[in-house]
Amino acid sequence: MQLLCQLDTSDFSGWKRDFDSERTERMEAGLTLLQMWRDSDTRSRVLMLFEVGDVARAKVWLRKEQGFGGPMTAHFLETV
């Protein structure tokens, strides 16, 4: 299962620095970052694709992260 998150942040540099420093917390939540993109037209928009090892722990991580750095949407995805 994967998790796709979209975040709009007014301070990409600061957000990215904080995101990188929380790698251990994401790993403990069962999340592995597969890819990160920055929207070429809207530079404040970031999209992240994670591999999910534990959905319950990932949901706890999402609740903690909501609002951190800016508005975020998240979708759990299954390959079909």
Side-chain angles (χ1 to χ4, degrees), residues 3-59:
L3 172 63
L4 181 64
C5 298
Q6 177 181 311
L7 172 79
D8 290 297
T9 181
S10 59
D11 177 16
F12 176 79
S13 299
W15 172 84
K16 180 71 164 78
R17 183 180 53 251
D18 291 343
F19 178 86
D20 291 343
S21 73
E22 294 182 348
R23 182 174 182 265
T24 300
E25 287 86 352
R26 287 191 305 277
M27 288 176 47
E28 291 171 352
L31 295 170
T32 302
L33 180 65
L34 299 174
Q35 189 71 48
M36 180 184 291
W37 302 275
R38 194 166 177 194
D39 190 303
S40 62
D41 294 325
T42 307
R43 301 297 289 164
S44 61
R45 184 163 296 143
V46 181
L47 292 104
M48 299 159 283
L49 180 64
F50 298 95
E51 181 68 31
V52 179
D54 184 309
V55 174
R57 290 189 327 205
K59 287 180 178 180

